[in-house]
Amino acid sequence: QVQLVESGGASVQTGGSLRLSCAASGSTGNANLMGWFRQVPGKEREGVASIYGGARTYYADSVKGRFTISQDSSNTAVYLQMNSLEPEDSGVYYCAAGRRLHCSPDACLRDGAYNYWGQGTQVTVSS
């Protein structure tokens, strides 16, 4: 089991920045895939960014060049640096963990690739 706790969500204005953190505990050695997802009411949860094997990073087209995912060497924390935020970035952001033998860029951004989820942290971007 892997436990995940997100933090760092807040309300910011358009163009602002936020850094989300995800603290992982438990059997973190079993997780080689970490990701960030977001969800708004009435819409499906969408993959935002993922990091596979501690090195390969993948991003949704909507956030490329603005968001950066990173992971600490001990596999106990994952971060999402979000810059140039837009109102469309608003939502509840979830941290997720999983283990995959292989992970294509598309698969790594699908929630089916993940086994463990945090409770989420709210991000609100106002215009």
Side-chain angles (χ1 to χ4, degrees):
Q1 293 287 331
V2 176
Q3 293 79 42
L4 303 169
V5 179
E6 304 94 335
S7 62
S11 295
V12 297
Q13 292 189 329
T14 297
S17 297
L18 281 175
R19 188 185 193 222
L20 304 183
S21 298
C22 173
S25 60
S27 303
T28 58
N30 291 333
N32 63 354
L33 175 65
M34 303 293 293
W36 286 95
F37 289 72
R38 68 185 177 198
Q39 189 169 27
V40 297
K43 291 189 176 181
E44 292 186 356
R45 186 164 53 191
E46 65 169 334
V48 174
S50 65
I51 183 165
Y52 177 57
R56 298 181 189 175
T57 57
Y58 306 110
Y59 298 93
D61 288 342
S62 60
V63 307
K64 282 180 181 177
R66 300 188 297 122
F67 290 12
T68 303
I69 188 171
S70 61
Q71 183 176 20
D72 74 345
S73 58
S74 63
N75 202 30
T76 58
V78 178
Y79 308 97
L80 185 67
Q81 178 66 43
M82 306 187 294
N83 299 326
S84 302
L85 284 162
E86 304 167 352
E88 292 74 21
D89 296 318
S90 297
V92 178
Y93 281 70
Y94 298 92
C95 176
R99 183 165 184 84
R100 303 269 297 186
L101 289 178
H102 306 285
C103 197
S104 67
D106 186 53
C108 279
L109 291 176
R110 292 182 181 170
D111 56 9
Y114 298 82
N115 306 102
Y116 306 103
W117 295 85
Q119 294 299 308
T121 185
Q122 177 71 47
V123 171
T124 303
V125 185
S126 58
S127 57

